[in-house]
Amino acid sequence: MSASNTGPRLPWDILSAISCSYFDSKTLLPYIRTCRTLYHSGIPHLLAAIPYRHRDLPTLNSFCNFVLDNERRPLFLREIHLGCPKADALSKDASPIYDLLVRVLELAKHINVLHILQADLLLRMAPCLKPVLSSFKKLTSIHLSDAHKRTQKVCATLFSPVTSASITYTDTFMASADLESDPTLLLQNFTDTLQNVSISAANVVDFDWPFQDILFPHVTSLSVRTAEYPCAWLFFMLAFPNVVSATFDDQEEPQDDDFDQFYTTRESKLFFANGCWSNGLDYLSAGIIAVYVAGIQTHVREWSCPGGLHKDNLGYFHTLAPVLQPSSIKLRITAEFLCENGADIFQNLQLTKLHLSVDLCEAHPCDTTAYVLDQLVSCFRRSMPLLKSLCLHLCHTHQWKSAGPTVASGSRSNVTPNAYDIYKPSRATEQLLKEEDHSVREYLDSMDMDAFMLHLSDAIPALEEIRIVMQHLYTDKVDRTCFSRVVQKEGEPADMRRVDGEDAKCSDVWFG
């Protein structure tokens, strides 16, 4: 007997399962199409690995007929994405197709992830779906957009161990404090299991009114996006009392003439927010003004500040620093702001980690890139005695082209590329931008990175890790990345040890 025929053999079903598990969702279908036997044995893996994503009614009809072709196929479904585009809503042939979908969902006993786009419209066009959606018993994740009254009624009769929920309100949403505007009502059946919540009303309203007296004690991660600036946090803090990771995504900060109201608003919130999230937050992503107005009074381990730090919110930042006491911060500043305020930026902070992006092209005309970087090192020397990990992004706008992002005309400090502008700038503006960008980029290209990192390590006595990224400001294209670990011994020069390849990607000290 030949060697190839000796030894134990795996049963075919086990061999098929092992082979299919090696392929991702993009390559699994081509793989099982290579032969009839693999096709039939691979269909369960296909249905479990590749969720149906609704495109149109003919596709839905094809999917339902395929699944119903074998009585066991619905049992392999784990995730499904439904929706109701306008073309579906106008179709006269929708009813029999939705009846097929009901049959599929009735037999699909193991679905644990449900996505529905245009949920209220779908439930209006296909009311037959309401009972079967309410009957799901194993859902752990739901994602619902256009979640209005019909969706809320379905959720009121849905009893599944949902741990993650994402709810999106659209512009058809009533901008008033009625029942459907309270997200806690929609989620009330999941109070015992819910852990992660994401709520978006970016084009609609804020949530500045009391919610129902419903608590979600197990929610630890909360993300909220609203149309108003700043977002009203208070009722989220009361409904989700044990959050440790919070993200509040608002509109951009208002202009100078809107800042007068913030002190009064903060004072009115401080009393009610006192005691909320008293155990502290591991992570907070929110703009400086939003945090100030919310009246939050708890410690934050890592704080990411979208929108950046500038002269108009620096005072609020300094007010918050001793209250939040973050040990890690992610900030974005301009070179001009750094040179004007470097001595005061990090006062009252005891940081161990810093992720800082500096726009080198937004500098005063008299300030060279070398001067800006010297000011940065001086800032660290004065304010960072405990800093252990530094991630520094040096950003520029080099290689701008008229065919790509364009710019608005104006003074040197206002020449800012905008990816959404489509007009061509004047030749004077184009030449000015090119001159600025080339000077910054040429300096960065010729920069001795090792010498600069040694300069940083001399300025920061506790420093252990440095990552420097040279990056295009608007495309996020990375030009160079240097990552070094620092070994500092008292009385001896710092020893810089470059980290390359996969090791440079595995450090757990970087966030955001």
Side-chain angles (χ1 to χ4, degrees), residues 16-17 19-34 38-39 41-50:
S16 173
S19 64
C20 288
S21 67
Y22 277 99
F23 295 92
D24 59 24
S25 58
K26 294 181 179 179
T27 55
L28 180 57
L29 182 58
Y31 171 69
I32 67 174
R33 280 176 170 171
T34 55
L38 269 180
Y39 180 75
S41 63
I43 283 178
H45 305 282
L46 180 72
L47 292 173
I50 306 179

Side-chain angles (χ1 to χ4, degrees), residues 212 285 339 409:
Q212 296 294 308
S285 176
C339 293
S409 60

Side-chain angles (χ1 to χ4, degrees), residues 118-132:
Q118 304 93 23
D120 254 47
L121 180 58
L122 177 63
L123 294 172
R124 177 162 65 88
M125 300 306 300
C128 58
L129 289 174
K130 295 178 183 179
V132 69

Side-chain angles (χ1 to χ4, degrees), residues 202-215:
N203 299 317
V204 197
V205 295
D206 195 6
F207 291 93
D208 197 9
W209 46 74
F211 297 158
Q212 296 294 308
D213 189 17
I214 304 172
L215 297 182

Side-chain angles (χ1 to χ4, degrees), residues 68-90:
L68 294 172
D69 189 51
N70 185 296
E71 62 181 6
R72 289 183 54 80
R73 288 181 182 176
L75 299 175
F76 298 109
L77 294 174
R78 298 293 183 270
E79 180 176 346
I80 191 165
H81 296 233
L82 304 176
C84 188
K86 291 183 179 179
D88 290 6
L90 297 174

Side-chain angles (χ1 to χ4, degrees), residues 90 92 106 156 162 195 199 220 281 288 300 367 379 425 479-480 491 496 501:
L90 297 174
K92 298 180 181 179
E106 287 175 341
V162 175
Q195 299 174 16
I199 298 171
T220 57
L281 296 176
I288 294 167
V300 175
D367 294 340
C379 173
D479 301 319
R480 295 168 63 190
M496 307 295 295

Side-chain angles (χ1 to χ4, degrees), residues 52 63 105 184 205 280 303 309 322 498 507:
Y52 169 76
F63 168 77
L105 297 180
T184 63
V205 295
W303 181 18
L309 180 63
R498 280 285 191 103
S507 175

